[in-house]
Each structure stands twice: as C-alpha cells, then as structure tokens.
Amino acid sequence: MAQDQAFLWQVFQSVDKDRSGRIASTELQAALSNGTWTPFNPETVRLMIGMFDKDASGTIDFNEFASLWKYVTDWQACFRGFDRDNSGTIDGYELKNALTSFGYRLSDAFYNLLVRKFDRQGRQTVAFDDFIQCCVVLQTLTSSFRQYDTNQSGVISVGYEQFLTLVFSVRA
C-alpha cells in the first residue's frame, strides 16, 4: 500500500504544476488517461472534481486525488469487463450489457441515444472517460427521479418548472 501511495504522490506532484498542493481540472485532465491517446473529457473531469472536492474549492488535494484515482481505477476494471472486443471503446451492445448489469432496463432506442450523446469521436462507440460520465449522469438523474417516484412505479408527475429544477439541480 505504501508503494501505491508513493506512486500516487509522484503522479500528483507531476501534475501539480503550480505546486499549490491542489490540482485543478486542467491538471487533473493531464493525470488521467482514457486509453485512446486523447485527453480525458473536460466535462467528465469537472464532474469528478465536483464529486471528490470535499471543501468545494474547485480543486482537489492529495487525499481527494487518491480517492478519485481509486474511483477511476475501479471504473477502468468495470469498463474493461464490458469491452468484450477489447477495442478500447464500448459500442451500443456493450453499453446495454453494462447498464443492464447495473439494474437498468431501458429500450434499445434509449441505449442508442446514450451512445450518440456520449460518443465524442463520432464512431458510434463510447470511450472510457465518456462511459464514466454516462454512468454517473444516469445514476444521478435516477436518484433525482426517485425523490419524486415515492411509490417506485417508474412514473412521476411533475410540472415544467419542477422538471427544470430537477434537471438543473443535479450535480452532474
């Protein structure tokens, strides 16, 4: 475990360009790899900083970084498990398998919509960082929906402004 901490400290220091002891989104983006030799999606980086930034400073310290690193590593193992063809991306079929295993039961049309929404390269596939963003956004929206779905019927009745409030107050 000490070796892991030493490695993480080395990574943290290498991206903490201003030596502030905290890293901002652009610095974190440099520390993360999505396996496609392209920068991590800035929106996914922002989302993760929001999740791990316990003091709401807009940056993360080393302890927050270590937690975030474990989170990304866990997602990476999950992603690789569903990337059946080892392409480094997940297609619609693989995304459906992943989300179904997480308990989602959605239409094929919706899975196709998710692929279009989270496919930044226009290849009808989802890269690792976009997969994280897709899953986190879906989970966050589901949690918000459940606040209104008190009888767990899968159906809610909300007014337009209530809907907008629901969507815009989601931290994703």
Side-chain angles (χ1 to χ4, degrees), residues 5-141:
Q5 287 292 94
F7 169 75
L8 284 180
W9 180 246
Q10 186 177 19
V11 172
F12 184 85
Q13 285 188 308
S14 72
V15 296
D16 181 15
K17 298 297 182 195
D18 62 0
R19 299 289 176 244
S20 65
R22 304 191 66 78
I23 57 177
S25 62
T26 54
E27 293 169 318
L28 179 60
Q29 188 178 21
L32 300 174
S33 169
N34 67 12
T36 61
W37 302 103
T38 58
F40 228 71
N41 180 340
E43 187 60 26
T44 305
V45 172
R46 184 197 64 77
L47 181 69
M48 289 191 303
I49 283 185
M51 292 169 62
F52 289 91
D53 176 18
K54 299 303 178 205
D55 62 359
S57 66
T59 60
I60 56 174
D61 64 21
F62 176 71
N63 290 328
E64 293 164 337
F65 175 75
S67 297
L68 186 147
W69 190 272
K70 180 183 181 335
Y71 180 79
V72 169
T73 303
D74 290 347
W75 271 114
Q76 198 170 42
C78 174
F79 181 85
R80 286 183 180 146
F82 290 106
D83 179 16
R84 299 282 185 212
D85 61 0
N86 295 316
S87 64
T89 61
I90 285 186
D91 63 24
Y93 177 76
E94 293 165 329
L95 181 63
K96 179 179 180 177
N97 286 338
L99 295 178
T100 299
S101 78
F102 300 159
Y104 292 99
R105 303 291 180 263
L106 305 164
S107 69
D108 287 344
F110 188 76
Y111 290 114
N112 292 333
L113 173 68
L114 288 176
V115 170
R116 285 192 309 275
K117 170 79 176 155
F118 292 97
D119 171 19
R120 286 184 302 139
Q121 275 91 33
R123 298 180 183 155
Q124 297 180 337
T125 60
V126 178
F128 171 59
D129 51 340
D130 299 316
F131 174 72
I132 293 173
Q133 183 183 359
C134 174
C135 293
V136 170
V137 167
L138 190 58
Q139 190 277 327
T140 304
L141 288 171

Side-chain angles (χ1 to χ4, degrees), residues 141-158 162 166:
L141 288 171
T142 299
S143 293
S144 295
F145 181 90
R146 285 185 176 149
Q147 291 175 6
Y148 292 93
D149 187 17
T150 53
N151 62 355
Q152 297 183 344
S153 67
V155 176
I156 62 174
S157 179
V158 296
Q162 207 174 10
L166 173 72

